[in-house]
Amino acid sequence: MKLRFDELNLELRHTFRISRSAEDFARNVLVVVEDGGTEGFGEAAPSEYYKQNQKTVLKALGKIAPLLVDKDPFQIEEIVTLLVTQFPNDLSAVAAVDIAVHDLVAKKLRIPLYKLFGLSKENTPKTSFTIGIDSIEKMLAKLKEAAGYPILKLKVGFENDMEAVAAIREQTDAVIRVDANCAWNVEEAIEKIYALSAYNIEFVEQPVAPGDPEALRKVRENVTIPVITDESSVLPEDIPQLYGCVDGINIKLTKCGGLRQALKMIHAAKSAGLKVMLGCMIESSISVTAAAQLSPLVDYADLDGNLLIKNDPFRGVLVENGKLILPDSHGIGVSGNINGS
Ligand code: MG
């Protein structure tokens, strides 16, 4: 297989603010693998929080390319295991290659990727639409843009967050999830989640910092709203220590190293009765559609990264009344200007 890659710079519709950061651009990387005239596409969406960025991804891909030259793309398990082992600090780059190889293999088999996983496209979940942190007025304005989405994810963990949630709940009957992105300590989390229970919240994502499953357990035991992890559930090996501490986990391809790793996480979580959400970073339709191909396996989806950008060069999964609609074309099913816009 031949590997090539290039910058993929995405511009956000609105500044995307969460409890620890704010962004106007997502500096991602587009990956193409080619074998016998067939091309597969992938994308890395690196996050500084996980100590990766566009530069580190490009550098890692430069080292990965020669390792793929003699590889048979159908040996995905072997390829991904090799890359995860050799590039444990570059998992967004590994994810991009994993996605591209899955796309390539499903195209060679002339089937949509979900069929390779033995899934039915009717079983996709509904995705949430994320409203980032802003003034309450601006959050309410964004709520109007989100009118077609029956599930909202509100970023919390700021000074007036409870007022913002109250103001939004007053305007909508949509399902509301909240994500604190590690903003609280245990006591604050219990207090905030208690306050949130007045607003019919589906679940709270990552109330406290990762690295301390007992803190999550303490929060969960003292609140009535389910607790889901994101920053605490990066890799398959993170999951056993979360058993009994939370209600579910959020999996992202770019955190864990791609579809293969995500599949392991889904099964590890489900075997312990944990709910599973598939999420994303700010990503184009390439990696959002790749994640959507696995979504018939999960309980919740937060696959809206492509909806938050202005200049998505690609077209893949669609959203109808919140439901993810998988394409019927072969591979991950993405079309568009692969050579850059
Ligand atoms: Mg999150």
Side-chain angles (χ1 to χ4, degrees), residues 97-308:
V97 175
D98 165 283
I99 293 167
V101 176
H102 278 90
D103 186 36
L104 175 70
V105 163
K107 280 175 176 163
K108 281 179 177 269
L109 294 170
R110 304 185 60 75
I111 53 171
L113 185 56
Y114 65 84
K115 289 196 177 180
L116 190 65
F117 291 123
L119 303 175
S120 160
K121 67 180 284 190
E122 283 69 45
N123 295 335
T124 56
K126 289 185 175 178
T127 179
S128 46
F129 184 85
T130 303
I131 297 183
I133 294 173
D134 217 320
S135 66
I136 293 178
E137 295 70 35
K138 286 196 177 148
M139 287 179 84
L140 287 171
K142 288 179 190 171
L143 176 66
K144 288 196 180 125
E145 289 175 34
Y149 299 95
I151 308 173
L152 302 173
K153 178 156 135 178
L154 308 182
K155 293 290 189 179
V156 295
F158 60 103
E159 207 183 331
N160 300 319
D161 51 3
M162 296 299 119
E163 288 89 336
V165 174
I168 286 170
R169 174 46 87 208
E170 201 166 292
Q171 300 292 319
T172 179
D173 292 327
V175 171
I176 298 180
R177 309 167 172 168
V178 306
D179 186 356
N181 288 106
C182 320
W184 302 321
N185 62 35
V186 171
E187 291 69 31
E188 281 168 339
I190 293 169
E191 207 173 289
K192 292 274 193 176
I193 297 170
Y194 179 78
L196 283 168
S197 53
Y199 307 116
N200 190 18
I201 302 300
E202 187 183 31
F203 57 75
V204 177
E205 199 177 312
Q206 199 70 42
V208 297
D212 186 0
E214 287 311 309
L216 286 162
R217 186 197 298 276
K218 205 168 169 196
V219 173
R220 180 180 182 236
E221 283 175 351
N222 285 284
V223 300
T224 53
I225 301 175
V227 175
I228 304 254
T229 55
D230 178 356
E231 288 85 342
S232 295
S233 46
V234 177
L235 297 167
E237 51 265 40
D238 293 333
I239 298 176
Q241 57 193 316
L242 297 171
Y243 292 167
C245 299
V246 291
D247 296 284
I249 62 162
N250 184 358
I251 297 170
K252 295 176 181 167
L253 302 187
T254 207
K255 285 192 299 183
C256 69
L259 293 155
R260 212 79 193 166
Q261 290 272 91
L263 202 55
K264 285 183 194 166
M265 293 180 77
I266 291 169
H267 293 309
K270 283 189 163 186
S271 67
L274 293 172
K275 297 277 189 191
V276 178
M277 168 157 64
L278 259 173
C280 61
M281 304 294 187
I282 303 298
E283 302 171 1
S284 81
S285 284
I286 289 188
S287 44
V288 169
T289 305
Q293 297 280 346
L294 270 187
S295 71
L297 277 174
V298 305
D299 304 287
Y300 312 116
D302 180 33
L303 294 174
D304 63 346
N306 56 334
L307 306 172
L308 305 176

